[in-house]
Amino acid sequence: MPHFYAECTENIREQANLPELFTKVNQALADTGIFPLGGIRSRAIWLDTWHMADGKHDYAFVHMTLKIGAGRSLESRQQVSELLFTLIKEHFASLMAQRYLALSFTMEELDPVLNYKQNNVHALFRKE
């Protein structure tokens, strides 16, 4: 963990430049020192069917979620959330200036017991 999800309306697929956003998000998460590098993942979920507001314009939205394992302080979760939302707003600023666009972000803390993982990528980074 953490896993970063971006749910995006299909009408901004090219302009959203999610690979660049994911590079920034992954680096920012790694730089916090809070999360193990081998567990950081970002992904897009493209929505081909949606309705927004009154439906009268070519509206678009990106809802982003960061799912993290349990156990981090509220203060550190707030710091990471504010860091990421600032990064997100900067990334989408030019697109927002050109069209109707809604951005939202939330962090979810996963259940400390009912959360199962297996990952051999962590070992790669312990060797460095």
Side-chain angles (χ1 to χ4, degrees), residues 3-18:
H3 293 199
F4 182 79
Y5 298 78
E7 298 174 60
C8 304
T9 56
E10 182 67 38
N11 60 344
I12 60 169
R13 184 182 282 264
E14 296 303 316
Q15 300 87 358
N17 195 2
L18 291 186

Side-chain angles (χ1 to χ4, degrees), residues 56-127:
K56 293 181 180 180
H57 297 278
D58 186 30
Y59 301 116
F61 69 83
V62 184
H63 173 69
M64 290 143 289
T65 304
L66 182 68
K67 294 185 180 187
I68 65 168
R72 290 158 182 100
S73 70
L74 175 59
E75 180 181 75
S76 66
R77 287 180 286 147
Q78 273 185 302
Q79 288 173 349
V80 169
S81 294
E82 290 169 9
L83 170 76
L84 287 186
F85 197 55
T86 297
L87 185 152
I88 289 163
K89 290 186 297 184
E90 289 171 359
H91 179 81
F92 286 105
S94 63
L95 185 57
M96 186 167 267
Q98 299 169 23
R99 63 170 305 125
Y100 294 112
L101 175 64
L103 301 174
S104 56
F105 171 78
T106 187
M107 180 185 286
E108 296 178 6
E109 188 176 40
L110 300 175
D111 188 279
V113 177
L114 303 174
N115 181 12
Y116 305 90
K117 303 183 240 340
Q118 182 176 357
N119 179 345
N120 66 2
V121 178
H122 291 293
L124 172 68
F125 295 102
R126 276 190 284 250
K127 293 177 184 177

